[in-house]
Amino acid sequence: MPQPAPRPERPFTLGEVFDDEGALSWQERALCAQTDPEAFFPEKGGSTREAKRVCVSCEVRAECLEYALAHDERFGIWGGLSERERRKLKRRAI
């Protein structure tokens, strides 16, 4: 099993996340790839409304959320959920 990459000093943008083959096919279809990435990584206390509105209609929302949960993403909106919402979801799953 491959080891996780070291954590960057800044959060990845969605366009910078790659798997062993060099790309994520679901990511190429993600609506966020056509949107300002700043919306998905708001400042602390900033609004997540714009990012979540994009996620609601995204065809790869489930894949995005699955990726974030599997890779313990700690920053940003992934699959329509904030970091706090993803933590709650993981706690309920245990």
Side-chain angles (χ1 to χ4, degrees):
M1 175 168 264
Q3 294 298 315
R7 290 278 174 202
E9 291 187 25
R10 64 171 178 75
F12 287 115
T13 64
L14 295 178
E16 294 174 327
V17 180
F18 298 99
D19 65 9
D20 292 336
E21 287 75 46
L24 292 171
S25 62
W26 62 264
Q27 196 173 49
E28 294 169 1
R29 299 185 327 266
L31 290 178
C32 59
Q34 305 163 28
T35 309
D36 179 12
E38 295 290 322
F40 294 87
F41 296 95
E43 295 291 324
K44 186 170 183 150
S47 176
T48 61
R49 188 173 298 150
E50 182 183 343
K52 288 180 175 187
R53 188 176 18 231
V54 172
C55 293
V56 166
S57 57
C58 184
E59 71 178 71
V60 295
R61 180 178 179 185
E63 291 92 331
C64 180
L65 179 57
E66 182 179 328
Y67 177 89
L69 294 171
H71 292 88
D72 198 27
E73 286 295 338
R74 296 175 192 242
F75 300 99
I77 305 301
W78 291 81
L81 300 181
S82 67
E83 175 190 357
R84 179 181 298 158
E85 293 164 329
R86 291 190 304 273
R87 279 195 314 259
K88 286 181 185 179
L89 182 63
K90 284 181 101 169
R91 279 196 297 262
R92 281 189 244 141
I94 296 174

